[in-house]
Structures are given as C-alpha cells and as structure tokens.
Amino acid sequence: MHSLGWSSKLISRALRSGFSALLETTTNVTSNNGGSKSRPHFISVVCGFPKDFLTSKYKPGKYGEDSWFKTSTSNADVLGVADGVGGWRSYGIDPGEFSSFLMKTCERLVHCVNFNPQRPVNLLAYSYCELLEQKKPILGSSTACVLVLNRENSTVYTANIGDSGFMVVRRGEIVHKSEEQQHYFNTPFQLSLPPPGHDHNVLSDSPDSADTLSFPVKDGDVILVATDGVFDNVPEKLLLDMLKEVEGVTDPVKLQMTANSLALMARSLSFDSDFMSPFAINARRNNINATGGKPDDITVVLATVAI
Amino acid sequence: MSQSSTTSSEDGSKRANSESVAVDSVIDFKGKHFGLESTSEDSDDYLVSGSEGTMIDVERFCHADYRIEQYAHSVLDFSSQYGIDLSISYTAPNITGRPSKYPEYGDFPQTFAMRTYGAWWERAPSRLKEIQPQNVSEIPAEDFIAIFETYNPGAVIRVWAYTIAKTWICLWEDKEFYTKPLYIPSRARRFTPPLKRIQLPTKTIRLEFNHQRLHYYTEIDAVLLSGKKFNTRNMQHLLDYYERQRKGSILCKLQNMKFRPICRDNYQNRLQHFLMHDLDKFISVLSDVQIQSIQHQQQQQVQSPSTGEIKISKIGLKNMPFEIMLKIFSYLDLKSLFRVGAVSRFLYDVSTHPLLYSELNLKPYWHLASTELLSTLAKRATILKKLDMSWCGCTVQTISPTEFKKFIQQRGDSLTHLRLNSTKFLNASCIDTLGIVCDNLKELSLRNCSPSPPLLNFSCLANLKNLERLDLFQTVIESDLLLTMLENNPKLKHLNLGKHNKEYEFTLYLITLYALPAFCSVAVNMDDVAQHIAKYNKQLISLDMWKAHFLSAQGLLVLSNCHNLEEIDFGWCLREASLGDSLREFLTQCTKLKKLFLAAVRGLTDRDLEYIANLCPNLEQLDLMGVLGISKERYIDILQKCAKLQLLDLCFCDNIMDYDVALWSRTFKVDIKSCQVPNDFR
C-alpha cells in the first residue's frame, strides 16, 4: 500500500514537472511552424528526477545537481545537459551551481551574434570563460553535453565532456552514440573551477578535450541527450526499445509521455538493489563488487527531428 | 548664458562635488522594428517622436494610426562598461532586446553595468581636474523612452536622439541633478523621462550617465522606444518640409537667389550703403510679399537713430580696461563666447583673445564639434595649454583627421594636457603628429581608443618624455611601446592600464587557463610592465590595472619598489591562486597607500587581510568584492585599525550578514557595500 501511494505520487509529480516542459514544447512547435516549414527542427521534451526527489522543491532548468537547457534560433536548435560533480559538497560548495550556470550561459550565448552552429565546443569554452567574469565566485565542476542542429545543412554537431551523453536512433538502430570520457572509474572528465589553493588536487579538463562529432540527420530520427543517471541505470537495449517507438512522432504529448516513462524507469531501476545495471557491470569490470542501480539525478532530453 | 561654475578658472582648482561632470559613459543604440516574427525584417523603419506639432503636421507622414514599441537592437558605441569585450556579463550588449531581469532588483550579470560609481573616484589620489569647467551647463511627448534600471537607478541625466536630418537633439535633461535629494533605491525602476517634442523621426538614441550621486554601481537591463511608425517613402518630403520650416521660406529663397551685395571695406557704413544702392536690385530679385515687410522694417530702423534721441551713458563696457573684460569673459562657456563675439568689434576683439583659449573643452559640444569649429579655434588658440576633445566625432565623422592633424601641428607644441577619450576620428597619422609635435605633454588620456578592426599604430608616442599622467583605459597598445614609454617618462605619477587586453585575448584566456603560465607569452604581460615600472617610474602615485590580465604574485612583489604609491587597483587582475608573501612585502614598502582595490582577487586569505589591517594606517578606500573565505574577525580588524577608512566594498563576500554590515557601518562610520543575490541565474 505504501509503495502504491509512493509510486502514484511519483507519477503525478513526474507528470507535473513534465507538464511544464510540455508547455514549452508546444510554444516551440507553433513558433517553429511560423517559420519556414521545410527547414529541419527539433520537437523536444524534457523530464527528470533529482536524487532527493521526495524532499526537494522543483526548480526549472535543474534536476538536483543536473541542469539542462534547450533553445532555438533562426538557424539552429540547441540542447544541452550538465551534471554537477557531487564531491564538492564537502568543501561547502553547492555542486548544482556550476552546472546550472554553465547551461544558462550556454543558452544566452546561443542567442548572441557570434554563435557558430558548427562549433558547439565554443559554447562550452565561452561559457567557461564567462564563469571567471562573474562577480560572485562560482566554484565546482561538472560534465557537459551540448548538441546543435544546424538547419542549413540538416547536420547535428555535438560536444561532450564526461559521462553525460547522447544517442541517436534511426529505423530501430542506434546510429550514433557518445562515448563516456573517464579518467578512472566513476571519475569522468569535467570542467571545473576549484577554489583558490586547491588547484592541484582537483581534476580540471579543458574544453579542448571534449569529444566532438557531427553527422547528418534524417526526418524521424530520435535523439536522446541524458546524464549518467540514465545511461548507468537503464541498459542500452531497453533504451533502444523505448526510443524505437517514438521514431517519426511529432506529437509533443506522446513524446513527453515517452520521456516521462524513460525517466521513471531510470529512477525505479536506480533504487533496485538486485538489478545488474550498466553501472554495476562496469564496476565489476573494475574489480568493484557492486550490484543494483546507482541512485543519481536523472535528466532526459528527448527530441525528434522533423523536416 | 547660465553658468554652473562658482570657481574661477584662473587658479584652476575646483571642488569636485559641486558641478563636475563625471559623465562617464554613453550608449548609442539603434532601434529596430519590434520583433514580431511574422512581419518583415525591414531595418529601414523609423519612428516618429512627436506627432502633434503646431508647425509641422507630421501626422500625414505616418504609416498608420497605431503606436509601436521597440527595444534596442544594437549598441553603436559606449565609453565605459564593467565586463570585458566579447563577454556577455555586465557588458553593453546586454542592454539590447527585452529586459531579462526586470522587475527583479539586484546585481545581475545579465545587465549593463559601468566601471565606476559615486564620487569615490573623485576622492582618490588620481582625480582629474576638469578642463574649462564653465562649459558644462544646461541645454533646454505620448511618445516615450523607458529605461529599465535593475540596480541603483538614477544615473541617466540626458537623453539625445539622432534625427534623420543628421543632427543630435537633446530630448531630456535632468536639470535638478545636483539639487534633488538622493534617490535611495530598493526596487528596480522603469524610468520614463518626459521628452521634448521634436518634429523629426529618430531611431538612434544616446544616453548620458552621471554616477556621482550613486550609492553603488548602476545596472541597466533594457531600453524601450515607443512611438508611431514612420513611412520611409515620405522621408525626403519630410526633410524638405523641415528645412523650409527651420529656415523660413525667406531664407530658403535667399539661399537660392543669385544676388550678391557689393561689400565695401568700411563696415560701419555697410548697411546704409546697401540700403541706398543695392536695395532696389535686391527687391527686384525677390517677389515675395513678406520681403517687403522686412524692407519696411529696415527703413524704419535707418530712420529712427537719426530722428530719435538716444541717451548714451558716459562709461560703458567699451571703457573697461581690456584685462577686466578678459576676466569677465573667462567665466563664459565656449558657446556664449562665440555669441558675444558677434555683437560688436570691441567685443569680438576681447572674445578672440588667445588668453581665453588656453584651455579648451569640447566634450559638452560633442554633437557640434566639426572641422570648421576646429579651424576657427586654431586661429584663436595660439597659446593652447589644455585640450579636451573627448567624445567628438562619435558615430558621425564630422571631424576630419587631416584637420585635427593641422590643428595639432599649429597649436600642439605648447599643449600640456590632452584628452582624447572615445574619439573616433583618430588615425595613424594623427597619433604620429601627436608624438612628434606635443613633446611638452604632461597628461595624455587616450581612453577607449581602440577601433575595430586594426589597432592604431601608437609608436610615435615613444617620443613623449615629460608625461606625468598616462591614461590608456580600454585602449590597447603594443607591449613594447608601452614598455618604452614607461622607460622614457621617469616623472610618471598616474598610470591607468585598465582593461589592457586585446580582443582576442578572450580566447587566449582559454590557452592560459589550461596550459602552464610559461606558455602564455603571447598575451600582454603585466609582469613585464610591473618590472619596468619598478625600475623606471619610481615616482608613481597611482596605478590602475583593473581587468588588465595576468599580473602574478611576482609582479606584485616587484611593484613594492614604488614607495610613493598612494592608489592601486588590482581588481580582476591578480589571478594567481596564492599570493604568498608578495602582498605583505608590497604593503610594507608602500606605506602611503590610500586606495587599495582588490576586487575578485580570489587568492586573498585571512593572513593577507591581517597585513592590510596592520600595515595600511592611511587607507581610505578598500575594495574586497568577491573574495571568499575570509572570517568576520578580519573585517572587524581592518575597520578598527584603519581609522581613515571611508569606503569598504564587501559585495559577494561570505561570512557576513546584513545586520553585521549595518552595525559596522554605524560604529565605524564607514560606507560599507554589501549585497545578497539569489542563487539561481535565470
């Protein structure tokens, strides 16, 4: 009984948080239709759960320490996620601040005059530089993944640092996928700004070390951008099955439902202590005896390409 | 003509808080048709401001009966901004588009902020004396301009508009700026000043700020322009119409006719001669009825002096000794001086005497400065000592570089003070002339003189050897040249190298962040500059390196050789993580320090603050913005030991609460700045 109540609360909260994202997508769609119809564009939705879902307040643009953004200009659509590294809490620094700032600045930079849709790595680099120009010092570190659809040539350009990532599904198969970048197990590549004096103890990767990929997309492609909360808990096959179903779907409501169930699935699996999650498999490969999922913030940004 | 100065210009001294124009920055922006995406992106649309005039009925030129509102589209120019080029935090481009933070109130990076605030810079050792202070005086709609101020409102003092007739008209001026009570802010403000009605459409606005009465930095989020849309097809008609109305139909006819009166040498009889001989010819050329009324009036004027009895007093202005007249005229501003010279021969002789033109300030007349003005002034100003041509030539190239060059060649050798901030007409040969001719220069100010694209070649400036004040804020010169200039000017007292970084250094930033410092030799290296200063410029009193990148602890250590330093600004400059003992060494050697700005020097620790408290008894202004990890006791320590402290900036510092700040402010009688900003950046 108790678990039933809990899961229903979960579902209703998921729908509510998903709902706000849905409203944004509908306006996105209508404004996209206002433009030229033959140009490719994303229909995108977002869903997610912070790790401490039951006790935390919902804040737009963040799920716990994860952060995301999606925006579009006349010649590009951009999606991005960032995962704040939790270890900073012991230094008295809020890990979500860094990732949140990174994503919000990326969003502002997309609308700037010198935005280059073919180099999303510049977004990350300039965003990082902006960090240093803030009066209020922002410290911490995070992974990041940014994906840009260039409308001129129907090509997607991506930049990824760390263990967040993206996946592209076409005709029931994964055609592109990002690679996890890790220094050691559970230590992904990360952009970081340590407090002064701690420079040498802290891993800090430059935006140059981001993996960049670019590939053409076709009508009906499904693109998933998510943080490691998803990829570590949901096996690839399961992800593929869910994404296959929304190929070519342009109805944002249906898309939102799929995103919601993906997020929910990741959440339930993360708290399942017997399940052999990808995280557990990876841990075992590194001689660590672990089973079950990995409780973590979950962020799912799901988009389909329509031309 | 009204005057706002109460001090004489002879002794040159001036109290800073009475009437100085601390006008610090100006934004121009271009309005564009408001972005409803379905309409066409026609950037030629203009706005009419003032649609109900009695003289012109502009209504019929308007497109339709509705009003539109539009936000600023782009920034054409600015004289000061807090952020660096290419950044989107605290920079001028943030003023374009819709307001992003309004009606929230606070210090947000998504707004436009300027470099300085309040009167603190006037109290610092490096304060400037205004040239020809009496020039700064006043000037004299449903359509409105709304300025969204999100932090410390109240800095806008003038709003100008650039009309299609290619003139700037002042739409609003704050006449009570110095007399009204201080506006204590606590909320964001949508400021809509009452505008003067003008009969012409405009799409470029200029805002002038004076921050003297501000408590802290002011920040602007957006500017909105509202009015009726103007049909550009009618533009030529409107311009003709306007010209006719402005000059009157008579003047237009006069300009077009082919009659020219014969002029004799004896000017006293010119009018009578004209009336006797040439008037008939004149009338025959014109056929307008209105001219005859003028003729009638002139005949009356000719007749009345001979018939009427006019009592002339025995002693008048003409009998005054020449020196007294000069002294009286020395209080007049430039515009009045020209006007009074048109009255009579005697007054013309007085008003063109070179002694009145030894100091020239053309900054308040930026919109009128032209090549002709410059050539006229060149004839009068034979002993020119101080020249301020800041802001001239902005956005409209009304001053030709050749004319300026001629001016300098003629009059530049006696120049001791030269200010050319934010000028747009400088080119390489002008700078060359400056360097060659003006070797008596003691003060040279070239703020904000880096045009994009290519940098000017400032190399001839190496010839200047007597400089006491050099101001290169926001201007970049070659590092070799800078070093040479430092070597050549041992008497240098004030040096401003704020924002000394090339535009592309923003990307070089990336390289230096990740590569070791040894690899970043490409950047302008402040450490080299510091070495040179320590070796050659020991008399330096003030040094401003605000946002000049890459000064290291070593550079700071080296600067301790300048024992006369009273003012130093290392904000955003000392990026190194730990300063070691360099600050202590520096403070031990430079005991006369009055102003120490260490904004965003994140490597400061409790120990450094202890040194500041113990080693700086004369400290008056201290800025510790954005420094984390300092304990409360250190702040109290500083407040107790630095008895002369007047300003303490603790914004974005942690471990302090609002009540602490209030308590300290009261107890120690220090102006303490602090703020609490919400955590999420929307």
Side-chain angles (χ1 to χ4, degrees):
Chain A
M1 280 304 274
H2 179 69
S3 63
L4 197 66
W6 172 83
S7 55
S8 69
K9 201 199 298 185
L10 209 59
I11 293 170
S12 64
R13 273 221 198 182
L15 286 178
R16 212 187 313 140
S17 69
F19 206 59
S20 62
L22 178 65
L23 289 174
E24 288 168 39
T25 41
T26 45
T27 49
N28 255 347
V29 168
T30 47
S31 66
N32 278 336
N33 282 337
S36 53
K37 293 195 181 160
S38 58
R39 303 237 289 174
H41 58 275
F42 280 157
I43 297 128
S44 49
V45 296
V46 185
C47 186
F49 295 99
K51 187 153 68 174
D52 50 353
F53 175 62
L54 297 168
T55 50
S56 67
K57 251 173 40 164
Y58 170 67
K59 292 199 190 81
K62 296 166 62 121
Y63 289 112
E65 288 148 19
D66 285 357
S67 194
W68 59 270
F69 80 96
K70 62 185 173 80
T71 185
S72 54
T73 64
S74 55
N75 56 355
D77 274 332
V78 189
L79 310 171
V81 294
D83 184 359
V85 167
W88 289 103
R89 225 173 280 115
S90 52
Y91 288 83
I93 295 170
D94 175 11
E97 214 182 325
F98 191 95
S99 52
S100 168
F101 180 83
L102 210 61
M103 293 289 97
K104 292 200 165 92
T105 314
C106 281
E107 186 171 350
R108 284 181 67 205
L109 282 170
V110 166
H111 292 284
C112 273
V113 187
N114 44 8
F115 167 58
N116 183 357
Q118 304 193 342
R119 300 265 303 158
V121 90
N122 283 353
L123 273 183
L124 289 176
Y126 280 123
S127 194
Y128 188 88
C129 283
E130 287 294 327
L131 270 175
L132 296 163
E133 294 300 315
Q134 299 304 301
K135 287 189 188 177
K136 176 178 191 327
I138 298 169
L139 307 166
S141 57
S142 114
T143 66
C145 181
V146 175
L147 197 134
V148 180
L149 167 67
N150 189 352
R151 288 196 229 256
E152 319 267 312
N153 50 9
S154 298
T155 317
V156 160
Y157 300 86
T158 69
N160 176 44
I161 297 182
D163 54 8
S164 316
F166 67 91
M167 190 184 284
V168 181
V169 168
R170 183 184 305 156
R171 284 210 278 262
E173 285 178 355
I174 299 177
V175 285
H176 299 284
K177 198 170 69 129
S178 64
E179 305 250 324
E180 260 191 19
Q181 291 177 320
Q182 291 201 343
H183 289 290
Y184 342 102
F185 175 70
N186 212 20
T187 314
F189 278 34
Q190 50 199 263
L191 291 173
S192 74
L193 197 61
H198 294 267
D199 293 348
H200 307 288
N201 327 346
V202 168
L203 271 177
S204 179
D205 296 293
S206 96
D208 305 330
S209 51
D211 269 346
T212 51
L213 215 62
S214 70
F215 46 87
V217 284
K218 301 199 171 65
D219 185 42
D221 282 356
V222 184
I223 300 182
L224 166 74
V225 185
T227 54
D228 63 341
V230 172
F231 294 115
D232 277 347
N233 288 312
V234 184
E236 205 172 280
K237 173 115 194 352
L238 204 48
L239 275 180
L240 185 57
D241 287 339
M242 297 224 56
L243 295 177
K244 271 199 295 212
E245 289 169 26
V246 280
E247 261 187 69
V249 164
T250 51
D251 179 16
V253 179
K254 183 141 190 276
L255 213 56
Q256 183 70 62
M257 284 172 19
T258 314
N260 292 355
S261 30
L262 256 176
L264 202 50
M265 198 187 312
R267 174 121 181 128
S268 345
L269 287 173
S270 70
F271 286 117
D272 187 339
S273 43
D274 299 319
F275 163 63
M276 280 301 281
S277 61
F279 172 73
I281 296 174
N282 214 2
R284 286 180 174 231
R285 236 181 256 143
N286 284 290
N287 292 327
I288 298 170
N289 188 7
T291 40
K294 180 178 99 164
D296 194 5
D297 301 311
I298 290 159
T299 306
V300 169
V301 179
L302 187 61
T304 52
V305 181
I307 298 184
Chain B
M1 194 60 195
S2 56
Q3 299 169 35
S4 48
S5 165
T6 54
T7 62
S8 70
S9 60
E10 299 236 305
D11 60 12
S13 69
K14 186 176 74 64
R15 281 299 98 218
N17 48 5
S18 49
E19 60 276 308
S20 75
V21 176
V23 179
D24 195 28
S25 68
V26 153
I27 312 176
D28 292 333
F29 68 94
K30 201 194 287 198
K32 187 186 191 265
H33 184 50
F34 181 48
L36 301 162
E37 280 162 66
S38 51
T39 60
S40 65
E41 307 272 305
D42 190 357
S43 59
D44 282 342
D45 286 336
Y46 288 77
L47 267 194
V48 167
S49 60
S51 55
E52 296 138 31
T54 48
M55 282 175 54
I56 304 181
D57 181 19
V58 187
E59 279 284 329
R60 57 190 167 100
F61 294 113
C62 285
H63 206 221
D65 214 12
Y66 56 86
R67 291 201 135 75
I68 58 172
E69 293 185 343
Q70 57 184 25
Y71 289 98
H73 171 255
S74 60
V75 172
L76 296 177
D77 195 14
F78 62 88
S79 64
S80 167
Q81 70 176 7
Y82 194 91
I84 62 177
D85 277 336
L86 293 189
S87 170
I88 53 173
S89 309
Y90 314 107
T91 53
N94 285 337
I95 211 176
T96 56
R98 296 181 144 263
S100 38
K101 300 302 292 184
Y102 180 85
E104 290 174 53
Y105 179 78
D107 198 343
F108 304 119
Q110 295 94 327
T111 56
F112 161 67
M114 286 170 279
R115 155 85 166 103
T116 50
Y117 63 91
W120 298 105
W121 272 256
E122 309 294 321
R123 298 204 214 168
S126 64
R127 59 183 153 268
L128 277 178
K129 279 197 284 221
E130 196 73 26
I131 293 177
Q132 239 190 347
Q134 69 270 24
N135 273 356
V136 183
S137 58
E138 14 186 306
I139 324 171
E142 287 156 28
D143 289 340
F144 65 91
I145 291 177
I147 301 167
F148 294 85
E149 298 165 297
T150 48
Y151 200 48
N152 290 314
V156 184
I157 54 163
R158 283 192 202 98
V159 178
W160 300 77
Y162 184 63
T163 63
I164 54 173
K166 301 215 186 318
T167 52
W168 286 94
I169 299 185
C170 182
L171 294 182
W172 174 76
E173 186 188 3
D174 190 352
K175 295 195 168 48
E176 302 144 31
F177 184 70
Y178 293 104
T179 52
K180 70 180 183 205
L182 258 180
Y183 181 75
I184 307 293
S186 57
R187 291 183 13 238
R189 180 170 82 147
R190 182 175 181 263
F191 180 55
T192 50
L195 300 175
K196 180 167 117 175
R197 285 194 180 292
I198 61 172
Q199 311 298 344
L200 289 171
T202 176
K203 68 172 186 172
T204 303
I205 302 287
R206 175 181 168 116
L207 300 175
E208 271 182 34
F209 300 87
N210 186 335
H211 58 59
Q212 264 221 319
R213 318 241 318 172
L214 284 184
H215 173 66
Y216 199 52
Y217 294 99
T218 184
E219 289 181 2
I220 314 280
D221 204 357
V223 183
L224 173 70
L225 181 63
S226 162
K228 283 202 183 186
K229 197 167 138 184
F230 179 68
N231 195 343
T232 44
R233 279 195 295 273
N234 294 324
M235 181 158 80
Q236 197 49 49
H237 296 297
L238 180 62
L239 274 176
D240 292 341
Y241 201 57
Y242 175 73
E243 287 300 311
R244 273 206 306 279
Q245 289 292 6
R246 194 168 71 90
K247 294 183 188 170
S249 44
I250 300 162
L251 208 52
C252 276
K253 285 217 163 108
L254 280 176
Q255 279 190 325
N256 293 334
M257 75 181 200
K258 301 225 191 314
F259 176 80
R260 290 283 174 271
I262 307 165
C263 289
R264 292 289 156 84
D265 301 315
N266 193 352
Y267 60 87
Q268 276 169 337
N269 292 329
R270 217 179 262 164
L271 181 61
Q272 278 186 316
H273 184 270
F274 168 74
L275 289 170
M276 284 194 289
H277 298 283
D278 299 327
L279 191 56
D280 303 334
K281 276 188 244 161
F282 188 60
I283 293 170
S284 66
V285 175
L286 296 169
S287 54
D288 213 293
V289 174
Q290 284 165 323
I291 298 298
Q292 289 176 2
S293 69
I294 290 184
Q295 173 199 4
H296 189 60
Q297 280 172 26
Q298 283 172 342
Q299 281 176 337
Q300 283 182 336
Q301 275 170 0
V302 167
Q303 284 161 12
S304 51
S306 54
T307 53
E309 301 258 354
I310 301 171
K311 275 224 149 75
I312 302 169
S313 88
K314 292 274 177 188
I315 299 187
L317 224 57
K318 278 206 292 193
N319 304 84
M320 287 280 184
F322 198 75
E323 295 79 8
I324 304 269
M325 291 302 292
L326 269 187
K327 173 83 175 164
I328 295 173
F329 277 26
S330 70
Y331 289 97
L332 285 180
D333 56 297
L334 208 55
K335 222 180 188 175
S336 309
L337 209 51
F338 273 78
R339 282 185 184 163
V340 86
V343 172
S344 76
R345 188 73 195 180
F346 173 65
L347 291 183
Y348 180 78
D349 286 336
V350 182
S351 71
T352 52
H353 194 274
L355 270 179
L356 291 173
Y357 294 91
S358 66
E359 290 185 9
L360 274 183
N361 184 359
L362 295 179
K363 188 160 102 167
Y365 304 113
W366 59 271
H367 55 297
L368 300 170
S370 65
T371 316
E372 294 81 28
L373 177 62
L374 212 53
S375 51
T376 315
L377 286 173
K379 290 192 214 113
R380 299 182 183 193
T382 48
I383 47 171
L384 189 60
K385 288 262 168 60
K386 302 187 186 179
L387 177 62
D388 186 346
M389 281 186 71
S390 307
W391 297 3
C392 293
C394 266
T395 71
V396 179
Q397 293 281 339
T398 49
I399 298 190
S400 73
T402 12
E403 186 58 48
F404 180 71
K405 221 173 101 169
K406 240 178 24 179
F407 184 82
I408 294 292
Q409 278 166 341
Q410 277 183 302
R411 304 290 172 221
D413 42 331
S414 49
L415 264 183
T416 54
H417 293 62
L418 180 60
R419 294 185 200 164
L420 294 169
N421 305 327
S422 301
T423 47
K424 295 285 171 279
F425 55 80
L426 288 179
N427 65 9
S429 59
C430 290
I431 307 287
D432 286 348
T433 327
L434 273 181
I436 296 171
V437 175
C438 308
D439 31 347
N440 286 321
L441 265 187
K442 289 206 282 200
E443 171 184 326
L444 177 61
S445 178
L446 288 170
R447 294 166 76 108
N448 201 14
C449 273
S450 293
S452 58
L455 298 167
L456 292 176
N457 182 7
F458 289 94
S459 48
C460 277
L461 291 180
N463 290 336
L464 302 171
K465 299 228 175 355
N466 289 321
L467 283 179
E468 286 180 16
R469 178 190 286 265
L470 179 60
D471 193 340
L472 293 171
F473 182 77
Q474 239 170 247
T475 299
V476 187
I477 64 177
E478 302 292 315
S479 50
D480 295 328
L481 171 64
L482 179 58
L483 298 177
T484 322
M485 284 180 80
L486 290 174
E487 277 179 41
N488 291 342
N489 292 291
K491 293 193 248 170
L492 201 59
K493 295 211 180 89
H494 303 279
L495 179 62
N496 188 333
L497 295 171
K499 285 209 180 177
H500 200 82
N501 48 8
K502 298 189 174 58
E503 266 187 40
Y504 57 79
E505 272 185 26
F506 198 56
T507 45
L508 283 177
Y509 222 178
L510 296 178
I511 304 175
T512 55
L513 285 171
Y514 306 111
L516 298 170
F519 289 116
C520 66
S521 52
V522 215
V524 174
N525 202 339
M526 278 296 137
D527 281 346
D528 289 338
V529 175
Q531 297 267 7
H532 270 72
I533 292 175
K535 202 158 147 202
Y536 298 107
N537 305 99
K538 293 224 170 68
Q539 295 191 25
L540 205 61
I541 295 181
S542 86
L543 177 59
D544 188 338
M545 287 190 166
W546 188 79
K547 290 212 179 184
H549 293 289
F550 314 125
L551 183 71
S552 67
Q554 189 59 30
L556 177 55
L557 194 56
V558 151
L559 279 174
S560 50
N561 277 339
C562 302
H563 302 305
N564 287 329
L565 274 177
E566 289 179 22
E567 168 182 338
I568 194 136
D569 192 336
F570 285 134
W572 299 89
C573 179
L574 280 174
R575 299 276 184 167
E576 211 160 334
S578 108
L579 297 174
D581 273 339
S582 48
L583 188 63
R584 182 175 65 111
E585 261 311 300
F586 179 75
L587 293 175
T588 322
Q589 301 286 340
C590 305
T591 50
K592 298 191 198 165
L593 263 188
K594 288 196 189 145
K595 171 171 153 174
L596 179 60
F597 272 27
L598 295 167
V601 178
R602 317 264 189 209
L604 283 181
T605 57
D606 273 358
R607 251 189 27 195
D608 292 315
L609 259 73
E610 211 182 301
Y611 298 143
I612 295 178
N614 292 332
L615 298 170
C616 303
N618 295 320
L619 205 57
E620 289 173 16
Q621 299 182 21
L622 179 61
D623 183 354
L624 294 171
M625 184 207 78
V627 178
L628 293 183
I630 309 285
S631 51
K632 222 192 271 199
E633 291 76 40
R634 295 274 72 84
Y635 297 128
I636 299 181
D637 200 24
I638 290 183
L639 285 166
Q640 281 171 336
K641 296 202 178 139
C642 300
K644 300 190 193 164
L645 200 60
Q646 295 165 3
L647 168 69
L648 179 59
D649 188 343
L650 294 177
C651 281
F652 298 105
C653 292
D654 52 359
N655 298 334
I656 45 176
M657 298 277 111
D658 281 341
Y659 51 80
D660 290 327
V661 170
L663 178 64
W664 295 340
S665 212
R666 270 203 317 273
T667 324
F668 297 103
K669 309 262 187 310
V670 176
D671 196 349
I672 304 183
K673 314 288 183 191
S674 79
C675 61
Q676 304 292 335
V677 171
N679 209 351
D680 54 303
F681 316 80
R682 211 74 51 87

